[in-house]
Amino acid sequence: MPVFFLLSGIYFGALNLIGVMAALLDKHRAKKGGWRISETRLMLLGALGGALLEWLTMRLIHHKTTRKKFMVGLPLMVLLHAALWCALLTLVLFWQKL
């Protein structure tokens, strides 16, 4: 089971850091008028596992806060990720008891 925690921590940690960097970069480019990161890519990063810190970063820097798909969608993804993680943990624990 420690391997499960290690791998899931590395996976979610890396995707959350990438999500934070993407939100910060997009905000910077929005101010400077440069090339932007598409909303689809930002949502994809959230869907893959980086939703929590991406959403918190967007709230902190006031980026995309008027877009419902980010302010509702990312928190829903966080709940979905938590549910999936709990289900996987349950399966890992059950499998070990067999």
Side-chain angles (χ1 to χ4, degrees), residues 28-72:
H28 175 73
R29 288 179 175 171
K31 285 183 175 181
K32 300 291 182 184
W35 173 83
R36 303 282 303 277
I37 298 171
S38 71
E39 290 186 354
T40 302
R41 287 181 192 231
L42 290 171
M43 289 300 284
L44 180 62
L45 281 171
L48 291 174
L52 178 61
L53 291 183
E54 185 179 348
W55 175 66
L56 291 175
T57 301
M58 286 180 171
R59 295 288 308 254
L60 278 171
I61 64 174
H62 303 287
H63 186 55
K64 305 259 186 222
T65 55
T66 60
R67 306 261 191 213
K68 283 190 179 187
K69 72 174 162 182
F70 287 100
M71 293 299 109
V72 175

Side-chain angles (χ1 to χ4, degrees), residues 3 20 24 27 36 44 51 64 67 84-85 88 92 97:
V3 173
V20 166
L24 290 170
K27 176 71 172 188
R36 303 282 303 277
L44 180 62
K64 305 259 186 222
R67 306 261 191 213
L84 288 173
W85 187 83
L88 283 173
V92 167
K97 290 184 181 185

